[in-house]
């Protein structure tokens, strides 16, 4: 094999540490960003939260919301010696509110400029090292500090199904064995309140191979199951849906007056629940009339009564995780210009962290530049540069979010005026071309970021949708088509619900070309049942 030397020219993309951090911060949600900030505060000694209260708080809560005159505001600015060195979130939000696609700022994901983590060799304090986000709280849950409870506290105070049943079991005078069996069955229930395992399976897991012990345990478990069925909520401890409905109907029958029409209707519904549940799902009135000997009116009334029962008795006890969505961007009405409404787009100060470089540590590092341990000094200088770049990348993150949100509001101005029926087709490429950013950047910005609008809070991705062709040659947004389908179904007749084919024809009358299969896909996405299940008896 012959050896030799050769030259080859190639290009490759090298991501600097600060660019990698910028990309990572851009795609984080608000909660993930808060966790990232906390982690950086633990790791980097040069980064700190500014816990100083704003000056207006010194005058009490009654004065905090009082309007400030221009003269007082000018006097405060002139009397503050640190005005030039302080960069608050309010100033940043106001300064970036009017950002447009024509700004000649550096793109957030550009790798052409910006120093690396090693910095420029200086440890001097710079204006960017001062407070950023001074008027915003580091973490906010939109609740006060008084008697208002935190969402996590409310979740922890939620009573579980097992606790509710154990509390009722304490009122029963049971022997030790029956009490233990009842407690075991309660702990074996699933979140819906059903007993998934049979009594034989539960007993075999406890009695092993002892036949006498097995029979004795089975007796105690059978007694305990009967007691469990008598507890509230009605239907708890059922093995299937039919038994759950029968337990609820039996409780209603015991409360009804014997011989009354309501008692007769409950008895008929109880008999119907003994039959396969597929008949109820199909609302097979004819089969119920034949097998349960009820009239047509009674059978329909019984089906309606069964539909009002609770198929999952443990549903209201489930401790559902409470996710509070805090919007990153606020869209507020700003009057009208030439008859058309205007909207102001601004960042939500509650989600902007309050960070600054620790000036004491930075000054100590600057004053000991010529120390003996040059290696330690260089490492600390690098940590200081990391803190500076972390603050700048967070600023850049919110700047990009604001630019993208402003472009979305400009494109979807009809939505903010008339609602989702006026949504226009929009794809990521349009916003990317307008702002001079890459399409992947827009995708990162619109993921897990939320916008508060006059019609509610939506994820930024909600404003993007494909287009459907119209008779005029234009396009209609898929979001608007979904809203139109929802409107059609909400105004339909209960006795004659609209089929997917009928909805497709109605859309064609509106000039929108939408096939039946597309209508079915949109309807399922809206979690609307098909026409056969929407039909009222």
């Amino acid at each position: 094999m012959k050896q030799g030397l050769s030259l080859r020219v190639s290009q490759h993309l090298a991501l600097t540490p600060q660019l990698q951090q910028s990309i990572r911060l851009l795609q984080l949600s608000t909660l993930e960003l808060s966790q990232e900030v906390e982690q950086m505060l633990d790791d980097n000694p040069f980064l700190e939260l500014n816990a100083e209260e704003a000056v207006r708080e010194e005058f009490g809560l009654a004065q905090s919301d009082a309007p400030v005159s221009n003269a007082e505001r000018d006097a405060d600015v002139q009397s503050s010696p640190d005005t030039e060195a302080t960069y608050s979130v309010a100033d940043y939000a106001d300064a970036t509110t009017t950002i447009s696609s024509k700004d000649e700022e550096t793109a957030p994901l550009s790798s052409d400029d910006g120093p690396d983590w090693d910095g420029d060799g200086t440890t001097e304090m710079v204006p960017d090292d001062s407070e950023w986000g001074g008027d915003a709280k580091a973490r906010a849950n939109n609740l006060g500090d008084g008697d208002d409870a935190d969402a996590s506290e409310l979740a922890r105070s939620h009573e579980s199904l097992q606790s509710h049943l154990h509390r009722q079991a304490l009122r029963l005078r049971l022997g030790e064995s029956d009490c233990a069996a009842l407690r075991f069955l309660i702990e074996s229930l699933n979140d819906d309140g059903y007993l998934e395992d049979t009594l034989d399976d539960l007993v075999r897991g406890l009695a092993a191979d002892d036949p006498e012990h097995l029979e004795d345990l089975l007796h105690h478990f059978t007694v305990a199951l009967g007691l469990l069925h008598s507890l509230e909520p009605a239907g708890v401890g059922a093995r299937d849906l039919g038994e759950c409905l029968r337990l609820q109907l039996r409780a209603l029958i015991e409360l009804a007056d014997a011989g009354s029409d309501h008692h007769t209707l409950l008895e008929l519904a109880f008999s119907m629940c003994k039959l396969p549940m597929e008949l109820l799902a199909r609302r097979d009135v004819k089969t119920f009339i034949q097998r349960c000997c009820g009239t047509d009116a009674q059978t329909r009334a019984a089906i309606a009564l069964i539909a009002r029962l609770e198929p999952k008795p443990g549903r209201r006890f489930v401790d559902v995780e409470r996710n509070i969505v805090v919007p990153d961007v606020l869209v507020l009405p700003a009057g009208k210009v030439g008859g058309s409404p205007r909207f102001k787009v601004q960042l939500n100060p509650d989600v902007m962290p309050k960070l600054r470089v620790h000036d004491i540590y930075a000054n100590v590092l600057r004053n000991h530049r010529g120390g003996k341990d040059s290696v330690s000094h260089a490492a600390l200088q690098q940590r200081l540069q990391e803190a500076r770049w972390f603050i700048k990348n967070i600023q850049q993150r919110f700047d990009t979010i604001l630019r993208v949100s402003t472009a979305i509001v400009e494109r979807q101005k009809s939505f903010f005026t008339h609602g989702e029926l006026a949504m226009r087709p929009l794809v990521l490429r349009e916003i990317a071309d307008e702002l001079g950013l890459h399409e992947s950047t827009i995708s990162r910005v619109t993921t897990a970021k939320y916008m508060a609008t006059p019609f509610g809070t939506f994820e930024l991705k909600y404003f993007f949708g494909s287009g459907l062709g119209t008779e005029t040659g234009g396009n209609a947004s898929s979001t608007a088509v979904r809203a139109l389908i929802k409107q059609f179904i909400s105004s339909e007749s209960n006795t004659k619900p609209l089929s997917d084919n009928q909805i497709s024809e109605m859309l064609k009358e509106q000039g929108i070309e939408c096939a039946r299969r597309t209508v079915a896909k949109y309807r399922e996405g809206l979690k609307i049942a098909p026409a056969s299940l929407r039909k009222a008896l």
Side-chain angles (χ1 to χ4, degrees):
M1 181 177 64
K2 184 178 180 181
Q3 295 182 348
L5 297 175
S6 62
L7 294 176
R8 183 174 58 185
V9 179
S10 63
Q11 293 181 344
H12 66 280
L13 178 63
L15 297 179
T16 60
Q18 61 269 22
L19 180 56
Q20 295 178 19
Q21 185 185 72
S22 177
I23 295 174
R24 189 177 75 255
L25 292 178
L26 190 61
Q27 63 189 7
L28 295 181
S29 64
T30 300
L31 179 60
E32 293 170 338
L33 178 63
S34 177
Q35 295 173 349
E36 184 76 13
V37 170
E38 292 181 0
Q39 182 66 35
M40 183 61 69
L41 288 171
D42 292 338
D43 295 343
N44 197 316
F46 291 97
L47 200 64
E48 68 169 351
L49 287 175
N50 186 7
E52 296 178 1
E53 296 291 340
V55 177
R56 64 176 181 271
E57 298 296 337
E58 298 176 359
F59 299 97
L61 182 61
Q63 299 292 334
S64 61
D65 295 331
V68 181
S69 63
N70 294 332
E72 292 175 340
R73 186 182 297 109
D74 295 339
D76 291 340
V77 172
Q78 294 176 1
S79 62
S80 176
D82 299 328
T83 302
E84 295 182 356
T86 302
Y87 191 42
S88 67
V89 66
D91 298 334
Y92 174 72
D94 292 340
T96 54
T97 300
T98 58
I99 289 178
S100 65
S101 61
K102 297 181 180 180
D103 294 340
E104 298 178 355
E105 299 178 359
T106 305
L109 298 183
S110 175
S111 60
D112 297 334
D113 52 73
D116 56 15
W117 290 129
D118 295 334
D120 54 4
T122 179
T123 56
E124 300 290 338
M125 292 292 293
V126 295
D128 289 337
D129 291 342
S130 61
E131 171 189 313
W132 181 75
D135 293 340
K137 297 180 180 180
R139 284 169 291 180
N141 53 14
N142 295 334
L143 296 176
D145 296 330
D147 297 332
D148 296 334
D150 186 79
S152 59
E153 294 294 336
L154 294 176
R156 284 193 290 269
S157 63
H158 189 82
E159 185 181 32
S160 65
L161 175 64
Q162 282 71 19
S163 300
H164 181 69
L165 295 174
H166 284 314
R167 186 158 47 81
Q168 297 181 66
L170 294 176
R171 307 192 190 105
L172 303 177
R173 297 182 178 180
L174 303 177
E176 183 178 353
S177 299
D178 291 337
C179 182
L182 179 57
R183 183 178 299 274
F184 188 86
L185 290 181
I186 291 175
E187 293 297 329
S188 300
L189 298 175
N190 62 12
D191 291 339
D192 295 331
Y194 284 84
L195 189 65
E196 296 178 336
D197 299 322
T198 63
L199 294 183
D200 291 337
D201 293 338
L202 294 175
V203 168
R204 288 194 184 94
L206 298 174
D209 297 329
D210 189 350
E212 296 182 0
H213 191 203
L214 182 67
E215 184 178 356
D216 184 60
L217 280 178
L218 185 59
H219 170 72
H220 288 295
F221 271 70
T222 303
V223 174
L225 181 61
L227 295 172
L228 178 60
H229 288 166
S230 65
L231 300 180
E232 290 291 334
V236 69
R239 272 72 60 86
D240 53 51
L241 177 60
E243 185 180 17
C244 177
L245 298 177
R246 291 195 299 271
L247 289 173
Q248 297 179 57
L249 290 170
R250 187 177 67 183
L252 294 175
I253 291 173
E254 293 176 356
L255 297 176
D257 296 333
S260 63
D261 293 339
H262 184 59
H263 186 275
T264 303
L265 185 62
L266 291 172
E267 291 284 358
L268 177 60
F270 187 86
S271 301
M272 293 167 59
C273 288
K274 292 181 180 179
L275 300 178
M277 290 292 101
E278 291 79 5
L279 298 177
L280 272 177
R282 297 197 307 265
R283 300 182 181 184
D284 196 341
V285 178
K286 293 183 179 180
T287 303
F288 282 131
I289 293 175
Q290 294 174 358
R291 302 184 62 175
C292 298
C293 301
T295 64
D296 183 84
Q298 288 177 335
T299 302
R300 294 179 184 276
I303 293 177
L305 188 150
I306 295 172
R308 294 194 296 268
L309 300 177
E310 175 57 72
K312 298 179 180 180
R315 190 201 318 249
R316 64 186 177 96
F317 295 94
V318 175
D319 188 9
V320 180
E321 182 181 359
R322 292 163 173 80
N323 296 322
I324 301 177
V325 175
V326 180
D328 300 86
V329 181
L330 307 177
V331 179
L332 305 174
K336 293 184 178 181
V337 175
S340 60
R342 293 178 61 253
F343 296 94
K344 179 181 179 182
V345 184
Q346 65 182 34
L347 296 170
N348 184 6
D350 290 338
V351 302
M352 303 174 71
K354 186 168 56 175
L355 298 174
R356 70 176 182 183
V357 170
H358 202 300
D359 52 353
I360 297 179
Y361 291 168
N363 290 331
V364 170
L365 182 62
R366 179 191 59 189
N367 296 332
H368 293 76
R369 183 183 306 174
K372 296 181 180 180
D373 194 350
S374 58
V375 177
S376 299
H377 183 274
L380 291 175
Q381 181 181 337
Q382 183 177 3
R383 300 296 286 178
L384 174 60
Q385 188 66 18
E386 290 179 5
R388 290 174 176 172
W389 271 107
F390 186 73
I391 294 176
K392 290 180 180 179
N393 284 333
I394 290 181
Q395 292 176 352
Q396 201 172 57
R397 174 186 185 272
F398 283 102
D399 172 49
T400 307
I401 291 175
L402 184 62
R403 293 179 63 197
V404 173
S405 301
T406 303
I408 291 175
V409 172
E410 288 296 325
R411 291 296 186 99
Q412 299 289 4
K413 189 174 295 184
S414 299
F415 165 82
F416 296 95
T417 306
H418 305 290
E420 58 184 356
L421 285 174
M423 187 79 77
R424 293 177 52 192
L426 183 64
V427 294
L428 298 177
R429 171 60 62 184
E430 296 181 40
I431 303 296
D433 293 342
E434 180 179 342
L435 300 181
L437 302 175
H438 195 272
E439 191 173 348
S440 62
T441 304
I442 307 301
S443 177
R444 292 185 181 97
V445 172
T446 56
T447 302
K449 315 296 188 304
Y450 293 88
M451 176 187 294
T453 73
F455 296 97
T457 301
F458 302 93
E459 188 179 12
L460 294 184
K461 278 192 178 298
Y462 171 79
F463 299 96
F464 294 86
S466 57
L468 298 176
T470 62
E471 292 181 352
T472 59
N475 289 324
S477 171
S478 58
T479 304
V481 174
R482 289 188 181 94
L484 197 57
I485 292 174
K486 187 176 180 180
Q487 188 179 76
F488 288 157
I489 294 177
S490 63
S491 59
E492 69 183 2
S493 172
N494 293 332
T495 57
K496 294 181 179 180
L498 297 173
S499 65
D500 295 339
N501 190 52
Q502 289 175 319
I503 295 175
S504 177
E505 293 297 328
M506 294 174 67
L507 290 174
K508 289 181 181 179
E509 294 177 0
Q510 299 287 335
I512 302 174
E513 297 293 335
C514 188
R516 182 194 61 81
R517 289 179 295 179
T518 306
V519 172
K521 182 180 71 172
Y522 288 168
R523 176 183 52 76
E524 293 173 357
L526 295 171
K527 297 184 178 180
I528 298 176
S532 58
L533 298 181
R534 298 199 309 270
K535 184 177 181 180
L537 296 174

